[in-house]
Structures are given as C-alpha cells and as structure tokens.
Amino acid sequence: MPFEQNNNLGGRKAGSVNKISQETRTIFNKLVSDNINSLQADIDSLKALDRLKIILELAKFILPTLKAIEVTEETNRNFQPIEIIIKNDPK
C-alpha cells in the first residue's frame, strides 16, 4: 500500500509525551528520592577513584551530552599573521 497524503495511521502526534516513558521516569525518580540517604552513604563509602567514576556515570543522565564537531575548512586559506611592532620611544 503506497503512502497517501493525509493518511493518519494512528501514531502519536509530534511533541506528545510517551506515557510509558513518563511513568517509568516518575517511578524511578520516586525510587531515587526515597533512597537518597542510603545512596549517598554508599557513594561516601567508596574510594575516591570509584566515587569519581560513579559521579561521572550519573552525570550522563543529568547533563546533556555535547556533540563533537569537526572543522572542515582549510586552515591556511587567506591566513595573514598580525605583526605588533613595539618601538622604544625615549622621551
């Protein structure tokens, strides 16, 4: 069956919330909130290196991941160095 314009196949509308994902996030958030003291105690009991690894792993879920960019322009194109000439002016 070929694609037809204005054919709604019953999918979610753009920008709508996935109910299952939202419910899972809510449950997980409650789990973490209810156990924050024991989680902190567990992290505090680790060695410094292990504690740092855990914090970096958890940061992936909180902080946005930056996308690496690649510069593809030619670096020597129209390159003109700037010269600064300092004259010793005895007055």
Side-chain angles (χ1 to χ4, degrees):
M1 180 164 101
F3 177 77
E4 297 174 9
Q5 194 70 15
N6 298 325
N7 184 7
N8 186 352
L9 300 176
R12 287 188 294 133
K13 293 180 181 178
S16 64
V17 177
N18 184 333
K19 292 177 186 176
I20 300 296
S21 295
Q22 185 63 38
E23 185 178 337
T24 303
R25 284 189 182 108
T26 302
I27 292 169
F28 187 74
N29 189 10
K30 181 168 176 21
L31 175 70
V32 171
S33 296
D34 291 347
N35 294 293
I36 196 72
N37 292 333
S38 61
L39 288 171
Q40 184 64 53
D42 291 342
I43 291 172
D44 291 341
S45 70
L46 296 173
K47 293 182 181 179
L49 182 59
D50 293 332
R51 192 168 41 244
L52 182 60
K53 286 179 184 178
I54 292 292
I55 291 171
L56 290 176
E57 283 297 318
L58 291 174
K60 293 177 185 178
F61 296 99
I62 299 167
L63 302 173
T65 305
L66 300 178
K67 183 177 179 182
I69 60 170
E70 183 178 325
V71 178
T72 57
E73 283 193 40
E74 202 175 301
T75 56
N76 292 334
R77 187 179 71 180
N78 299 327
F79 177 75
Q80 295 178 348
I82 298 174
E83 285 187 39
I84 299 175
I85 301 171
I86 301 174
K87 293 184 178 180
N88 213 356
D89 188 18
K91 283 189 177 180

